[in-house]
Amino acid sequence: MKKTLSLVLSLMMILTTFTALPFNAFADEHPAASTIRVGDTEGYEYSLSTEKPYYKNNTTEATSESEGANVAYDESTGILTLNNYEGCFIGINGSGDVTVKLVGTSTINAWQFCINAEKSNLEITSDNNGVLNLSNQMNNSAGIVTQWGSNNENDLTISGNAIINYNTSIDGQSYGFRAGKTLSIIDNAKVSITTTSTKDYDSIYGLYASNIIINTEEEVSINLGTTKYYCYALFALNNFELLNVKKLSVIAYGEDTYSIIYPNETYETLVNMPGYSVEEDCTDSKYTLVLTKRIHTHTMSAVAAKAATCSIAGNNAYYKCADCEKYFKDAAGTQETTVAAETIAATGKHTSDKGTVTKKATPTATGTKVYKCTVCNKTIKTETIAKCAKYANPITVKVKTATVKFSKLKKKNQTVAQNNAFTISKAQGKVTYTKSSGNKKITVASNGKITIKKGLKKGTYKVKIKVTAAGNATYKAATKTVTVTIKVK
């Protein structure tokens, strides 16, 4: 019994959870073809289907044949194409995103709603200036709606090169375009709404949504031409943004400027839009506001192209207007750009010089060679120079002629001191002397002292002597052979 009660409670909780979910919690991305309804010119409506997603003007049912179709719907993309369509109604009863693509000129003369997409986010667009002409014949009507009797928050976007004209004369409440959340007119879309009513005190709206955004290169015109009150040309429950428009023309009857735009405080922002000329008028409760974008002539200065280096960014050639401070790729100012878009990043590739020896190598220590970038002077690499071989010994030897008196030599040996026979300079290491050739009565000591032995006769004698510098850690050993002249007289 307890298990059964627990199961029942669990099921009740699951059902309660599903009931609490929003209507479109499990909606497909795009509505099914079966939720698309198309009206003919006589007021009859026909549903499309997956098998028959096409409709041709003045026929009594949908078709599977695409050739010559004036209405075509692709379930996989949510694209509903109107190609020179003529009828009384387009209805979208499924949830999801739908894009209406205009080709040629399509006309909808409706009884109440021209296009009703209460459960969908709707975008109406064109790639080639497609036109959509709308009108209706009933009270409590609208041109295009994504919200009517429910509190949904669906968007309505008019984009691309779409041209939409809504022109109707009724005796009661009317909406031009109405969205639950955001109504946007963007890109190069062009919109014209003209509505007249003769009934007292029924509300007439041009654009109605929580948020309204106008950001188009083309014109937006709203003319609520009536002698009655309660006209609201631009009715934004939360927020209104005018970012860009070629020309905004508004005519509406009322007791204050809220007939032009609601909330009323937005009016001051509107008439003080920078870059626009403003025309205002109020005569017999008829409010007129025309904002026209000033034609700006650029005062261009050229920014020369500069190649990027290893460490400094470069740039493409571009232009800057001194007045509007915008940047352009061309001198005519037709291709806007940014400094960031035209900047060429530094290459990070350095160009090396041939290197500079900052410390010479010696036989006892390594040296250093530094390579730097010829552009930015940054050190690219440091190279070690190996120790070099010992230097050649720079010893120089000059000899002198030594003279010995014969009278003294007869008595005993005679000597000639090293410095009287040799002049040694720049010798590296210990210097020693070795006799290479000459008279045997002449000897040479290792310290360079020359001995002439007793008994040598008078005469001039040549003695070859090797003078050796032993060298050291830096210099090699070296030997010089010289000839010393000894005179005995």
Side-chain angles (χ1 to χ4, degrees):
M1 181 65 182
K2 289 184 179 180
K3 289 184 178 180
T4 302
L5 180 60
S6 177
L7 180 60
V8 170
L9 289 173
S10 298
L11 288 171
M12 290 178 66
M13 290 177 65
I14 293 171
L15 288 171
T16 302
T17 302
F18 272 77
T19 304
L21 288 172
F23 174 82
N24 59 353
F26 300 104
D28 294 331
E29 186 176 357
H30 307 294
S34 59
T35 66
I36 310 296
R37 292 177 295 144
V38 181
D40 62 15
T41 56
E42 300 298 323
Y44 296 99
E45 298 177 11
Y46 311 99
S47 295
L48 304 183
S49 66
T50 303
E51 295 76 18
K52 296 180 178 182
Y54 306 103
Y55 176 77
K56 298 179 182 180
N57 290 341
N58 300 316
T59 59
T60 58
E61 64 176 342
T63 178
S64 60
E65 296 179 2
S66 61
E67 185 176 355
N70 301 105
V71 179
Y73 181 63
D74 185 341
E75 286 181 314
S76 64
T77 62
I79 295 177
L80 179 66
T81 302
L82 303 185
N83 187 350
N84 295 303
Y85 163 69
E86 294 181 3
C88 67
F89 178 69
I90 295 292
I92 302 166
N93 197 37
S95 59
D97 297 335
V98 176
T99 300
V100 174
K101 295 196 72 171
L102 304 179
V103 179
T105 300
S106 295
T107 301
I108 300 177
N109 183 13
W111 294 104
Q112 185 176 19
F113 302 129
C114 298
I115 299 180
N116 185 355
E118 288 188 60
K119 299 177 182 178
S120 303
N121 291 313
L122 180 64
E123 180 175 3
I124 303 177
T125 188
S126 177
D127 298 328
N128 51 7
N129 297 308
V131 178
L132 180 60
N133 294 321
L134 307 173
S135 63
N136 53 31
Q137 306 169 34
M138 286 186 62
N139 302 332
N140 297 322
S141 61
I144 305 170
V145 295
T146 61
Q147 181 204 52
W148 190 252
S150 59
N151 294 321
N152 59 41
E153 294 189 347
N154 293 324
D155 297 329
L156 170 60
T157 303
I158 302 169
S159 66
N161 297 304
I163 301 171
I164 304 181
N165 304 307
Y166 177 61
N167 193 329
T168 189
S169 178
I170 59 171
D171 187 16
Q173 190 178 48
S174 173
Y175 294 83
F177 305 153
R178 177 171 174 171
K181 187 176 182 182
T182 301
L183 195 162
S184 304
I185 303 173
I186 61 174
D187 300 334
N188 294 284
K190 185 175 183 180
V191 168
S192 174
I193 297 174
T194 302
T195 303
T196 59
S197 175
T198 58
K199 188 175 181 180
D200 291 340
Y201 307 115
D202 257 348
S203 300
I204 299 176
Y205 300 88
L207 303 179
Y208 180 102
S210 291
N211 308 293
I212 298 175
I213 299 172
I214 299 177
N215 187 12
T216 176
E217 297 292 338
E218 272 296 340
E219 298 182 8
V220 175
S221 174
I222 302 174
N223 184 352
L224 306 185
T226 177
T227 58
K228 309 304 176 184
Y229 297 120
Y230 301 111
C231 293
Y232 306 96
L234 303 167
F235 195 89
L237 294 169
N238 292 328
N239 185 51
F240 176 86
E241 288 186 81
L242 175 60
L243 303 177
N244 181 44
V245 70
K246 183 178 180 180
K247 184 176 183 180
L248 175 64
S249 302
V250 181
I251 298 174
Y253 283 83
E255 297 177 340
D256 203 340
T257 54
Y258 61 72
S259 296
I260 298 291
I261 186 166
Y262 180 88
N264 193 28
E265 58 266 21
T266 311
Y267 185 82
E268 287 302 315
T269 303
L270 202 59
V271 297
N272 289 293
M273 282 283 293
Y276 289 85
S277 61
V278 181
E279 299 175 43
E280 294 179 89
D281 184 61
C282 179
T283 304
D284 296 331
S285 300
K286 178 184 178 182
Y287 285 86
T288 301
L289 174 64
V290 179
L291 298 182
T292 304
K293 194 172 186 178
R294 296 191 187 100
I295 298 175
H296 173 63
T297 302
H298 295 297
T299 304
M300 294 294 200
S301 60
V303 179
K306 183 176 71 173
T309 67
C310 50
S311 57
I312 301 175
N315 60 268
N316 301 316
Y318 61 94
Y319 299 84
K320 179 183 179 181
C321 175
D323 298 325
C324 66
E325 296 187 344
K326 291 183 178 180
Y327 300 90
F328 301 90
K329 290 179 177 289
D330 60 323
T334 61
Q335 302 177 63
E336 191 172 349
T337 187
T338 62
V339 172
E342 301 305 321
T343 298
I344 303 170
T347 63
K349 297 179 180 179
H350 298 285
T351 302
S352 178
D353 62 9
K354 294 180 179 180
T356 302
V357 176
T358 58
K359 178 185 175 185
K360 290 184 178 181
T362 68
T364 57
T366 58
T368 304
K369 190 173 187 180
V370 175
Y371 296 83
K372 292 190 175 183
C373 177
T374 58
V375 178
C376 67
N377 203 40
K378 180 180 179 180
T379 298
I380 300 172
K381 69 174 181 177
T382 301
E383 187 176 87
T384 299
I385 304 172
K387 294 178 183 178
C388 66
K390 290 184 179 182
Y391 303 137
N393 205 307
I395 183 173
T396 60
V397 181
K398 292 181 179 180
V399 295
K400 303 174 184 179
T401 299
T403 301
V404 178
K405 289 183 178 182
F406 181 71
S407 58
K408 291 183 179 182
L409 186 59
K410 288 195 309 179
K411 297 176 182 179
K412 63 177 180 177
N413 295 343
Q414 296 294 310
T415 59
V416 177
Q418 177 268 345
N419 59 347
N420 289 329
F422 308 94
T423 299
I424 308 296
S425 63
K426 299 181 181 179
Q428 300 295 318
K430 183 179 179 180
V431 178
T432 58
Y433 301 83
T434 304
K435 179 181 175 183
S436 179
S437 64
N439 192 289
K440 62 181 180 180
K441 287 187 175 288
I442 300 173
T443 61
V444 179
S446 62
N447 63 0
K449 185 173 75 172
I450 300 173
T451 300
I452 300 96
K453 292 182 179 181
K454 177 182 173 181
L456 185 65
K457 296 179 180 181
K458 289 182 179 181
T460 300
Y461 301 91
K462 302 288 186 181
V463 180
K464 284 188 177 182
I465 301 171
K466 291 182 179 180
V467 181
T468 300
N472 52 31
T474 304
Y475 292 90
K476 299 176 182 178
T479 298
K480 302 284 187 179
T481 300
V482 294
T483 299
V484 177
T485 299
I486 305 293
K487 289 184 177 181
V488 180
K489 62 180 182 177

